[in-house]
Amino acid sequence: MAHSGERSWGVYVTDVVTLKDVAAAAGVHVSTASRALNPETRSVVNVNTAGRVLEVAERLGYRPHPLARGLRTNRTLTVGMVVPDLMNPLFPPIYAGADAVLGDLGYSVLVSSDDDDSAKARSVIVALLERRVDGLILASAHCDFVIPTRQRKVPTVLVNRSSASNEFPAIVGDDHAGIALVVRHLISLGHTDIAHVAGSQDLSTGLARRQAFVESMNRDGLDANPELTVEAGAFRTEEGRAACDHLLDSGEDFTAIVAANDLIALGCYDALAHRGISVPGDVSVTGYNDMTFVDRVAPPLTTVAVPYQEMGGAAARQLLDLLAGEVGVGPPYPPMRLAPELVVRESTAPPPAS
Amino acid sequence: MAHSGERSWGVYVTDVVTLKDVAAAAGVHVSTASRALNPETRSVVNVNTAGRVLEVAERLGYRPHPLARGLRTNRTLTVGMVVPDLMNPLFPPIYAGADAVLGDLGYSVLVSSDDDDSAKARSVIVALLERRVDGLILASAHCDFVIPTRQRKVPTVLVNRSSASNEFPAIVGDDHAGIALVVRHLISLGHTDIAHVAGSQDLSTGLARRQAFVESMNRDGLDANPELTVEAGAFRTEEGRAACDHLLDSGEDFTAIVAANDLIALGCYDALAHRGISVPGDVSVTGYNDMTFVDRVAPPLTTVAVPYQEMGGAAARQLLDLLAGEVGVGPPYPPMRLAPELVVRESTAPPPAS
DNA sequence: TGGTAATCTGCGAACGATTGTAGATCCAAG
DNA sequence: CTTGGATCTACAATCGTTCGCAGATTACCA
C-alpha cells in the first residue's frame, strides 16, 4: 500500500496510505488505530498507544478515505444547495456564506442550478439525494412539490424563501422592514403619491414586498392607492419596463416608484427615460437588493442592501443544528428574518414643486 | 432492507433499495444483478435475466450507492473546481459551462474559492484531493507551486489561465485577438495616441493583454509609446483609477485608453470625470470582459465579450478526455484560445478635432 | 454416447473504514 | 491462591459495490 513515496514539503507523501498501514506501522490492530484516531473513542485506548498511533499517522500523512468512512457511517459530509441560477449575483454570496461555515466543519457544498424550472428542480434534488448528501439548502423557488417525498428524511433548510407551511426552517431577508425603510425614506423626502412595481406574485419575495408596501403606506397614514401598484411578471428589467409603462399609461399621478428589486427599478429607468421623465427630478425610484454596479448606473440607485452572505451562513448553522439532531423544537419553524439596510444614492430626491 | 415504503409519484419508493434487494427480487445473485445493470458487462449475462433484473431494478427504484461504488472502483464521479472568488461575476459562467457538460455524464462539480490567497489555494486543492475528486479544473491564479506535488496523478486542466510550462491543458480567452479588436476599433475611429492601463503583471491575463497591446499597435504601424502604458496593481476599480491618475499626471497626450478589464476602465471613468474630461468626447475608453451592467453605466462601455461559459464547457470536455485516458498527446499542451467578440457601445468615439 | 467448447451464473474476496463483542492482561481484595 | 473488576486490545462483521474465478448448464460435433 504505502510505497513509492515522493519527497515534497519535507514530508514523505505516499500515493495513498490507509488505516491498515498506520496500524501496521504502529504495531496495533486497525480497529485500535481507528479508535485512537477518532477523538470520540480515543479515551478507550491506552494513552501511550494512542499517542503512538497519532504520531505514526501524522508521519505517514494518513487521511481517512471519505468513501469508506461514509459507506460505513452513512454520512458523506456533503450538503447540497439548490439555487435558481448561480449567474444571478444574489446567489454566490449565499453560497459563500454557507460554504464558509460548513467548510470549517469539514463539509463540502454541492451546488446545483435549476434554471427556475420545476422539472429541473426536481431532478437536481433527486440527483443530490442519490449522492447521499447529508442535508439540503434550498434557495430555489420551485421545489414545494418535491419536498413531501423522499427528502422528508433529509434535514433541509430554506434560504431567501419560505414555505407557507413553515415545514422547514427558513432564513429570509426581512422584506417588511426593507420596504418600510424605503417608504419612510420617500415619505421623509416629502412624497405622498408613491407607486409600487411589484415582482412576480408567485414568489414569496414578490408577495411579501407587495404586502409590505401597502402596510407601510397605511401605517404611515398614506392610503396606498391600488391603482398605483402594478405587477411585473418577473424580476427582470424588461418586465419592469413594461409594468412601468402600464403605470404611466394609466394616467395616475405619482412622484416616486418603489420597485420590487433592482432589475425592475432599472426597467423603470428605461420606461421613464423613454418618455423624457427625469430621475430623480420628476420621479424618484428605489430598488431592492443593492446588486453590484447599481451604484454606477445613471443615476446611482437608492436601494436596500440585503445581507445575503449572512443569510447563507445562518442557513448553514441552522442546518448544522438539524444535523446534530437538535430535536428541540421541530416544525413549524417560524422563518428567521435578517435585517436589511437602506442605501441612499441619487435616484431619490424631494418631489418636484407642483 | 427494502421495507417501509411510501407511495408517491405512483411508484413504491423505499428508503433505500440495494443491489441485494434487486438480486433477491429477481432471483439471481448480486453479482449477476450487478453485471446486468452495468451496460459494459451486460452482454455476459443472459438476455432474459438481464431484462428481468433491469425491470425489477426499475420497479424497485434501485439507485447504486455512490460511495460503495466509488470505494470499489476508486472513482467518485466528482471533479473539483478552484476559482479565486465565486462572487466575481467572471466565474459563475465558467462554472455553469463546466457543470453543464460534466453533469450530463453524471459528474458533480465541487467548487472552492481560494480568495486569491496562495495558502488557501493549496489547502483547498488538498481538501479536494482528499475528497478523492477524479479531476481538477483550476481557474485560480495561485496554484503553481502545488501542482508539482501529489496532484500529478490527478487529471487537471486550467481555465482562464495558463501555466508557463504548458504542463496542463489550458482553455483561455484569446487576449491577443481581443486586444487587437479594440485597438483596431480605436484606430478605425481615427485614434493614434492610445494609452494602456495594464492589469497586474503577475497574472497571465495581465501580461498577455499588455503584450498584445504593444504588438497590435506596432502591427498597425503606430509605435506604442512606452510612456502611455501604466500598470494597475490589481484588476480593480480603485487601482484603475490610481493608474489613470498617474497617466494624466505624466502630461503625455492621448485620446484613448485601452483598459485591461472593465473594472479598471470604470476606474478610468472616475479619474477622468474627476478632472472634467469627458468620455468619449475628450478621450475614449475600452474595457475587457463585458461584465454584467457595464452596458448601463454612463457612458455604456465599449468592451470585449469573452465566452466564459464556452470556456468552462471546453475545459470540462478536455478534462473528460483526460479522464477517459486519452493518452494521446501528453504534455506539453498548447493552450486552447477561444475567440472573443468586440462590443461597441458609447464610450468610444472619434478623437476630438484638435 | 462421450468429449469439448461456449455460454451463463454463483461464490467470495476485495475496497477502507467503524464498531459490537469477546478475550487478554493486570491489580487488588477476599 | 482465587476471584472480580478494570482496562485495554484483537477479532470479525458490516456498509454496497465490482470483478476474477470456478462451476454448471447447454449445445454441438465426432
Side-chain angles (χ1 to χ4, degrees):
Chain A
M1 308 274 154
H3 57 267
S4 88
E6 129 184 20
R7 189 161 283 278
S8 110
W9 302 334
V11 295
Y12 215 69
V13 175
T14 56
D15 300 275
V16 56
V17 26
T18 81
L19 193 54
K20 188 169 11 172
D21 300 320
V22 175
V28 298
H29 194 262
V30 321
S31 64
T32 309
S34 171
R35 282 185 258 261
L37 258 8
N38 183 344
E40 305 283 316
T41 55
R42 187 170 304 155
S43 59
V44 85
V45 27
N46 181 290
V47 61
N48 295 318
T49 31
R52 185 157 33 99
V53 170
L54 248 26
E55 186 259 336
V56 169
E58 167 76 14
R59 180 163 51 83
L60 296 186
Y62 167 73
R63 309 270 84 189
H65 194 305
L67 298 171
R69 185 206 288 267
L71 178 60
R72 186 61 228 256
T73 62
N74 213 23
R75 300 178 339 119
T76 52
L77 289 182
T78 301
V79 327
M81 175 161 173
V82 182
V83 300
D85 177 12
L86 245 202
M87 293 196 261
N88 181 332
L90 293 199
F91 298 106
I94 296 183
Y95 166 77
D99 189 54
V101 350
L102 289 168
D104 283 346
L105 279 100
Y107 284 88
S108 297
V109 181
L110 263 181
V111 225
S112 301
S113 303
D114 69 3
D115 302 328
D116 264 322
D117 169 5
S118 300
K120 183 141 188 231
R122 172 182 164 287
S123 78
V124 301
I125 290 184
V126 168
L128 252 14
L129 292 174
E130 283 178 4
R131 285 228 161 220
R132 300 302 203 274
V133 293
D134 293 336
L136 238 26
I137 298 180
L138 303 182
S140 174
H142 304 277
C143 41
D144 283 292
F145 70 104
V146 197
I147 290 174
T149 68
R150 260 170 101 158
Q151 141 198 10
R152 202 173 282 275
K153 316 298 272 286
V154 177
T156 299
V157 341
L158 269 26
V159 63
N160 196 39
R161 67 178 298 262
S162 53
S163 67
S165 57
N166 286 349
E167 189 179 4
F168 300 97
I171 317 290
V172 297
D174 191 339
D175 285 344
H176 267 73
I179 291 292
L181 286 173
V182 299
V183 168
R184 290 234 176 89
H185 168 63
L186 290 170
I187 290 176
S188 75
L189 285 173
H191 295 271
T192 53
D193 299 319
I194 306 178
H196 178 49
V197 179
S200 166
Q201 298 298 296
D202 300 331
L203 269 38
S204 60
T205 49
L207 206 58
R209 288 175 198 166
R210 179 187 194 142
Q211 288 176 353
F213 175 74
V214 324
E215 285 177 22
S216 290
M217 293 288 285
N218 292 342
R219 184 170 42 205
D220 288 316
L222 306 169
D223 293 325
N225 175 357
E227 301 296 322
L228 283 181
T229 291
V230 295
E231 181 184 334
F235 283 107
R236 306 193 329 183
T237 305
E238 303 83 60
E239 274 78 1
R241 176 180 177 150
C244 187
D245 273 330
H246 273 119
L247 192 60
L248 291 164
D249 290 338
S250 74
E252 299 283 330
D253 280 338
F254 58 91
T255 60
I257 302 178
V258 171
N261 84 344
D262 289 346
L263 294 176
I264 291 178
L266 294 182
C268 294
Y269 275 23
D270 291 343
L272 294 167
H274 191 251
R275 307 200 185 200
I277 302 173
S278 103
V279 177
D282 299 321
V283 352
S284 293
V285 174
T286 67
Y288 208 104
N289 277 347
D290 192 25
M291 292 176 72
T292 334
F293 284 136
V294 293
D295 56 333
R296 304 205 59 113
V297 301
L301 183 67
T302 292
T303 186
V304 175
V306 178
Y308 284 111
Q309 202 158 348
E310 286 77 3
M311 282 171 51
R317 273 186 290 273
Q318 181 68 257
L319 184 61
L320 286 171
D321 284 351
L322 257 40
L323 252 18
E326 298 288 325
V327 271
V329 281
Y333 300 95
M336 168 173 176
R337 305 183 187 281
L338 266 47
E341 206 171 312
L342 181 67
V343 181
V344 177
R345 298 205 181 93
E346 298 164 33
S347 67
T348 47
S354 53
Chain B
M1 306 277 155
H3 55 268
S4 90
E6 132 184 15
R7 189 159 284 276
S8 110
W9 301 337
V11 296
Y12 214 69
V13 175
T14 55
D15 299 277
V16 56
V17 27
T18 80
L19 195 53
K20 191 172 3 176
D21 300 320
V22 175
V28 298
H29 193 262
V30 320
S31 64
T32 311
S34 172
R35 281 185 262 260
L37 259 9
N38 183 344
E40 305 283 316
T41 55
R42 187 170 303 155
S43 58
V44 86
V45 28
N46 181 291
V47 60
N48 295 318
T49 29
R52 183 157 33 101
V53 170
L54 249 25
E55 186 259 335
V56 169
E58 166 76 13
R59 180 163 51 83
L60 298 186
Y62 167 73
R63 308 272 86 187
H65 194 305
L67 286 87
R69 186 207 288 268
L71 178 61
R72 186 64 229 256
T73 61
N74 212 26
R75 299 179 339 121
T76 52
L77 288 182
T78 300
V79 327
M81 176 159 170
V82 181
V83 299
D85 177 11
L86 245 203
M87 293 195 262
N88 181 332
L90 294 199
F91 297 106
I94 295 183
Y95 166 78
D99 189 55
V101 351
L102 288 169
D104 283 346
L105 280 101
Y107 284 88
S108 297
V109 181
L110 263 181
V111 225
S112 302
S113 302
D114 69 3
D115 302 328
D116 263 322
D117 169 5
S118 299
K120 181 138 190 238
R122 172 182 163 288
S123 77
V124 302
I125 290 184
V126 167
L128 252 14
L129 292 174
E130 282 177 5
R131 284 226 160 223
R132 300 299 204 275
V133 293
D134 293 337
L136 237 27
I137 298 179
L138 303 181
S140 173
H142 304 277
C143 42
D144 282 294
F145 70 104
V146 198
I147 289 174
T149 68
R150 262 170 100 156
Q151 145 197 9
R152 202 173 282 276
K153 316 298 272 287
V154 176
T156 299
V157 339
L158 268 28
V159 63
N160 197 39
R161 67 177 299 263
S162 53
S163 67
S165 58
N166 286 348
E167 190 179 2
F168 300 98
I171 317 289
V172 297
D174 191 338
D175 286 345
H176 267 73
I179 291 292
L181 285 174
V182 299
V183 168
R184 290 234 174 90
H185 167 64
L186 290 170
I187 289 176
S188 74
L189 286 173
H191 294 271
T192 53
D193 299 319
I194 306 177
H196 177 48
V197 179
S200 166
Q201 298 298 295
D202 299 332
L203 268 38
S204 61
T205 49
L207 205 58
R209 288 175 198 167
R210 178 186 196 144
Q211 288 175 353
F213 175 75
V214 324
E215 285 176 23
S216 289
M217 293 289 284
N218 291 343
R219 186 170 40 204
D220 287 317
L222 307 169
D223 293 325
N225 175 358
E227 302 296 323
L228 283 181
T229 291
V230 295
E231 182 184 333
F235 283 107
R236 307 193 330 184
T237 305
E238 302 85 61
E239 275 76 2
R241 176 179 177 150
C244 187
D245 273 330
H246 273 118
L247 194 60
L248 291 163
D249 290 338
S250 74
E252 300 282 331
D253 280 340
F254 59 91
T255 60
I257 302 178
V258 171
N261 84 344
D262 289 345
L263 294 176
I264 290 178
L266 294 182
C268 294
Y269 275 24
D270 291 343
L272 294 167
H274 191 249
R275 307 199 185 199
I277 302 173
S278 101
V279 177
D282 299 320
V283 351
S284 292
V285 174
T286 67
Y288 208 104
N289 277 348
D290 193 24
M291 293 176 72
T292 333
F293 285 136
V294 294
D295 55 334
R296 305 205 60 113
V297 301
L301 183 66
T302 293
T303 187
V304 175
V306 180
Y308 284 111
Q309 201 157 348
E310 286 78 5
M311 281 170 53
R317 271 185 291 271
Q318 182 69 257
L319 184 61
L320 286 172
D321 283 351
L322 257 40
L323 253 17
E326 296 288 324
V327 272
V329 283
Y333 299 95
M336 168 172 175
R337 304 182 187 283
L338 266 48
E341 206 170 313
L342 180 68
V343 181
V344 177
R345 298 205 181 92
E346 296 164 34
S347 68
T348 48
S354 54

